[in-house]
Amino acid sequence: MPKRPRSQLSKHSSQARAAKIRRMGESSPERSQRLAEQNQRNSQVRARESSVERSQRLAKQNLRTSELRARESRLERSQRLHEQNVRTSDLRQRESSVERSQRLAVQSLRTSELRAQESRLERSQRLHEQNNNTIDTIVQQYNSNDLTAFVNDNVPKLVPDQRHAYETIVDSVNNNMGRLFFLDAPGGTGKTFLANLILAKIRQSGKIAIAVASSGIAATLLNEGKTAHSTFKLPLSVSLDQRSTCSIRKNGPLDKLLQDASLVIWDECTMSHRAHVEAVDRTLKDLRSSANVMGGITFVFAGDFRQTLPVVNRGTRADIMKACLKSSHLWTSVQHLNLRTNMRAHLHGITHSNFPQQLLKLGEGIFPSLNLGTDYAVTFSLGQIVYNLDSLIDAIYPDIENLHQNDFRWLCCGAIVSPRNETVNEINNLIMQKVPGEVKCYKSIDTVTNIEDTVHYPQEFLNSLNPAGLPPHELSLKVGTPIMLLRNLRPPNMCNGTRLLIKELKDNLIVAKIITGPAAGELAHIPRIPMIPTDLPIPFKRLQFPVKISFALTINKSQGQTFKLVGIDLRKECFTHGQLYVALSRVGAPDHQYILLPENNITSNVVYREALQ
Ligand SMILES: Nc1ncnc2c1ncn2[C@@H]1O[C@H](COP(=O)(O)OP(=O)(O)OP(=O)(O)O)[C@@H](O)[C@H]1O
């Protein structure tokens, strides 16, 4: 302990002595007051001391804390820096990988560009060769000797109106006149016969003649015929407001074919929507770089406005007329050629009977009378009248129980036709029951095309839909029954409308013999395919065999076909222009057709006179 100075010690001791004397002389209340004051002072001193200490402690603590913090932050900082470094290096690495990939992309782009340039050259070379091969193959496919024989055999058979049309069209092709014709030919006047003869004449000289038809069935009747849809790659849906064109690739084989073509014949053109015909006109002008109608090709429309017109879903009479080829601006450029001799009747030796005249009057709506509306009393002069369905079936399919023993050809010579799909299905099911053999039922898989619609359209609902042109959900078939294709599978042999006879029913395949068209007699294999109906507001897809039983077919499907025997079911009336005329003009003589009528013999003959003016 440090020594205090002498003066200070003496002063302190004298003060302490004085205090001791005072303490001795003081009373107890004074003492207690003094002690209280002393305690207070002590506690104040202590308090003062402790606050100093505290502040010292706190200062020390703060120091320590700040030291710790400093140390901590140093750690943190180093950690942060470390992390930052890692991140930076990552970024740098990533950046470099991006750069690398960028560099690689640029490199591969350059390589692919080079390759593309190369392949473009190669492809154009290949396409050029392919195109030339296609044209060569087509021209080589025409067997000149056969064609010459066909022309020589049939030209002498032409009746005067056919001969005039033949010479006028061949002349336009041979002199590159590029004219547009309409071959106006009522049913049975030989327009298909004439079309095949003109095609043969042009192909015989090494030129390219293209044959198309509005329906698959009509296409199978033309030599090398295809549907207009598949040949011209027509747009699926058309609108009169849009200036649509066909999806034909520039410099592709089809482009080359159309550039080199000398003649196009479009059969049953009256069934086509005029927007399709106009799309072909625009496309040909573009491909052939010509402002002339149809790009300057000699173009023949063949058809009959007395027969059915384009189908417009839920369309009115005015809508159908608007869609009709006659309403097109192209119609003013058309040169008319008329066929008037009914060859079906002519060949039956009944030129003097009034059957063809009656049919023509019926088709033109001037028979029986302009004032009777659509009601028409059918007479025996048009066919043999029956009053129940069994009689009609027996007349057309007399030996149906022994179907398997009969030659398949008899099946394609006859058919029952009806205006509506429901009655066609009813007749087919009834005849199916009479055919011996085991039924095999194929169920389709129906799905909505847009997955979000699944909740709105349950499976059962989709299965219940039965739109025209689509096979049913439950397709019941028997070996030996005739079926009709509902889609173009392999044109021209297997088109929409081709009829086949079932030979074998496997789980996932139908084996059938083709009985109509150019491949009649050949075996064909039909798979299940997905089909989307275009005329339904519900977008759905059905996976099913694209076939329907074809003992009976709709009148629209029968357009363009010649039968030996036909049954016409008119229990339900014809509902649109030309149906009755088409139904009654499939055979050459009235005794080859049976008509099922209601008891009063009255049916409906709908004719849009504006379509015939
Ligand atoms: N000049 C002819 N000589 C021999 N037969 C012919 C002649 N013209 C047509 N025919 C035959 O007459 C029948 C009817 O002819 P085609 O099928 O060509 O008529 P179409 O006008 O196309 O009939 P539709 O419009 O009803 O389809 C056919 O069997 C056909 O072979």
Side-chain angles (χ1 to χ4, degrees):
M1 202 172 158
K3 279 188 177 176
R4 281 182 189 165
R6 205 180 184 101
S7 59
Q8 211 179 34
L9 274 174
S10 60
K11 189 182 171 189
H12 187 75
S13 58
S14 60
Q15 276 176 351
R17 238 178 286 127
K20 199 173 175 181
I21 293 161
R22 248 186 277 133
R23 257 184 261 143
M24 282 168 66
E26 71 188 356
S27 63
S28 66
E30 280 172 352
R31 200 186 327 129
S32 59
Q33 200 184 352
R34 181 183 49 81
L35 283 172
E37 282 170 3
Q38 209 174 2
N39 282 340
Q40 202 183 2
R41 264 199 311 277
N42 284 345
S43 65
Q44 273 177 355
V45 166
R46 264 187 226 129
R48 233 178 287 139
E49 276 173 7
S50 69
S51 77
V52 169
E53 279 170 9
R54 206 183 320 124
S55 62
Q56 263 176 349
R57 186 176 44 81
L58 283 172
K60 277 180 195 163
Q61 222 171 2
N62 285 342
L63 196 71
R64 267 204 307 277
T65 314
S66 64
E67 270 177 11
L68 273 171
R69 275 205 196 124
R71 234 177 289 145
E72 272 174 16
S73 69
R74 235 174 285 138
L75 260 169
E76 277 171 11
R77 204 182 324 124
S78 67
Q79 222 169 2
R80 185 175 46 77
L81 283 172
H82 177 72
E83 281 170 9
Q84 217 170 8
N85 287 342
V86 170
R87 269 204 302 275
T88 317
S89 68
D90 262 10
L91 272 170
R92 273 200 202 123
Q93 252 177 0
R94 240 177 285 150
E95 269 172 19
S96 67
S97 76
V98 167
E99 277 169 14
R100 203 180 326 122
S101 60
Q102 248 173 357
R103 184 175 45 79
L104 284 172
V106 171
Q107 218 172 10
S108 65
L109 196 73
R110 248 183 265 133
T111 319
S112 64
E113 262 178 8
L114 277 169
R115 273 200 205 126
Q117 263 164 3
E118 275 173 17
S119 68
R120 235 175 279 143
L121 267 170
E122 279 170 11
R123 204 179 328 122
S124 67
Q125 223 167 6
R126 187 172 44 77
L127 280 174
H128 183 69
E129 281 166 19
Q130 214 175 17
N131 292 345
N132 286 341
N133 287 346
T134 315
I135 309 292
D136 287 349
T137 322
I138 288 170
V139 174
Q140 276 160 19
Q141 262 175 10
Y142 303 153
N143 184 324
S144 183
N145 291 340
D146 288 356
L147 293 172
T148 309
F150 182 77
V151 171
N152 293 344
D153 279 356
N154 289 298
V155 168
K157 292 182 189 168
L158 292 173
V159 293
D161 46 10
Q162 288 178 337
R163 184 173 291 275
H164 170 69
Y166 171 82
E167 284 169 359
T168 315
I169 294 167
V170 170
D171 184 51
S172 169
V173 176
N174 287 343
N175 296 307
N176 289 324
M177 291 157 86
R179 288 159 81 179
L180 181 62
F181 297 102
F182 175 61
L183 191 60
D184 181 9
T189 50
K191 92 180 125 51
T192 313
F193 176 86
L194 182 63
N196 280 327
L197 197 55
I198 296 169
L199 290 167
K201 176 73 186 166
I202 303 303
R203 289 168 181 172
Q204 178 201 358
S205 57
K207 292 183 176 147
I208 291 177
I210 297 172
V212 303
S214 299
S215 69
I217 269 285
T220 61
L221 301 174
L222 295 170
N223 290 332
E224 304 289 332
K226 286 189 182 168
T227 58
H229 263 278
S230 66
T231 301
F232 294 120
K233 311 277 178 249
L234 292 175
L236 275 182
S237 58
V238 283
S239 146
L240 289 171
D241 311 325
Q242 289 166 3
R243 290 175 55 82
S244 35
T245 49
C246 310
S247 358
I248 299 173
R249 191 159 39 87
K250 262 262 193 227
N251 302 322
L254 191 51
D255 172 16
K256 179 84 176 121
L257 186 72
L258 291 171
Q259 284 193 40
D260 288 10
S262 304
L263 170 75
V264 175
I265 297 184
W266 187 326
D267 198 9
E268 304 293 357
C269 67
T270 50
M271 292 167 87
S272 285
H273 199 292
R274 80 168 154 98
H276 279 140
V277 179
E278 288 168 8
V280 171
D281 175 51
R282 275 192 284 275
T283 307
L284 287 179
K285 278 178 179 155
D286 180 32
L287 294 178
R288 293 169 63 98
S289 310
S290 163
N292 295 333
V293 183
M294 294 296 176
I297 305 183
T298 296
F299 209 103
V300 182
F301 290 119
D304 179 11
F305 283 104
R306 295 164 200 84
Q307 302 191 25
T308 58
L309 298 175
V311 176
V312 179
N313 288 320
R314 290 171 284 279
T316 60
R317 180 172 175 158
D319 293 331
I320 295 172
M321 282 314 301
K322 233 169 118 181
C324 185
L325 179 58
K326 264 196 177 169
S327 308
S328 170
H329 65 273
L330 294 169
W331 195 246
T332 49
S333 315
V334 154
Q335 184 186 338
H336 293 252
L337 296 167
N338 299 307
L339 301 186
R340 284 290 169 263
T341 315
N342 187 320
M343 294 307 293
R344 282 196 189 108
H346 186 74
L347 295 172
H348 274 85
I350 49 169
T351 33
H352 302 300
S353 127
N354 66 352
F355 178 62
Q357 281 71 36
Q358 254 185 312
L359 281 181
L360 267 184
K361 285 181 180 171
L362 190 98
E364 283 161 13
I366 50 173
F367 182 62
S369 159
L370 288 177
N371 305 323
L372 285 176
T374 61
D375 278 1
Y376 174 59
V378 181
T379 61
F380 280 96
S381 59
L382 285 170
Q384 304 180 50
I385 293 170
V386 293
Y387 294 102
N388 63 64
L389 189 55
D390 282 335
S391 309
L392 188 76
I393 293 172
D394 285 346
I396 309 301
Y397 299 110
D399 200 16
I400 200 72
E401 289 80 10
N402 297 316
L403 181 74
H404 303 313
Q405 276 84 59
N406 286 312
D407 183 348
F408 74 86
R409 269 165 291 201
W410 78 275
L411 272 176
C412 44
C413 301
I416 294 178
V417 297
S418 178
R420 296 197 177 263
N421 269 307
E422 308 93 79
T423 41
V424 165
N425 294 342
E426 179 202 343
I427 299 168
N428 278 327
N429 292 337
L430 213 69
I431 302 178
M432 262 282 281
Q433 285 167 18
K434 297 185 180 203
V435 174
E438 201 183 311
V439 177
K440 184 148 179 133
C441 183
Y442 295 100
K443 288 192 179 177
S444 69
I445 299 168
D446 298 341
T447 44
V448 281
T449 46
N450 183 359
I451 197 87
E452 284 159 18
D453 284 339
T454 315
V455 281
H456 303 122
Y457 304 114
Q459 189 74 43
E460 296 73 30
F461 172 72
L462 296 180
N463 294 345
S464 72
L465 295 173
N466 209 1
L470 217 65
H473 166 60
E474 285 190 19
L475 180 68
S476 299
L477 299 172
K478 274 183 190 175
V479 170
T481 52
I483 48 173
M484 179 184 277
L485 276 183
L486 299 174
R487 289 290 181 277
N488 291 325
L489 288 189
R490 191 165 42 86
N493 295 350
M494 290 172 75
C495 281
N496 184 347
T498 302
R499 291 216 272 166
L500 305 101
L501 195 71
I502 300 175
K503 289 281 154 198
E504 220 179 320
L505 291 170
K506 302 192 178 201
D507 285 345
N508 292 304
L509 201 72
I510 296 175
V511 183
K513 186 182 257 182
I514 301 173
I515 57 175
T516 55
E522 280 180 21
L523 264 194
H525 296 90
I526 306 168
R528 278 192 175 93
I529 60 163
M531 285 161 276
I532 300 174
T534 47
D535 51 353
L536 264 195
I538 304 154
F540 90 108
K541 187 165 67 177
R542 176 163 288 171
L543 185 71
Q544 181 60 287
F545 292 102
V547 299
K548 254 186 178 177
I549 304 167
S550 68
F551 288 111
L553 48 141
T554 58
I555 291 174
N556 289 46
K557 274 267 184 230
S558 76
Q559 185 159 330
Q561 298 194 66
T562 300
F563 294 119
K564 285 209 173 105
L565 200 61
V566 74
I568 305 163
D569 173 18
L570 294 178
R571 288 171 301 162
K572 291 222 166 125
E573 295 181 328
C574 294
F575 56 89
T576 191
H577 171 90
Q579 273 183 327
L580 187 65
Y581 171 71
V582 170
L584 289 167
S585 59
R586 294 306 93 204
V587 290
D591 51 339
H592 288 228
Q593 62 192 4
Y594 291 80
I595 308 167
L596 173 58
L597 283 172
E599 279 186 0
N600 61 2
N601 283 11
I602 300 282
T603 192
S604 178
N605 180 29
V606 184
V607 177
Y608 299 165
R609 291 213 175 79
E610 60 273 33
L612 305 173
Q613 280 153 11

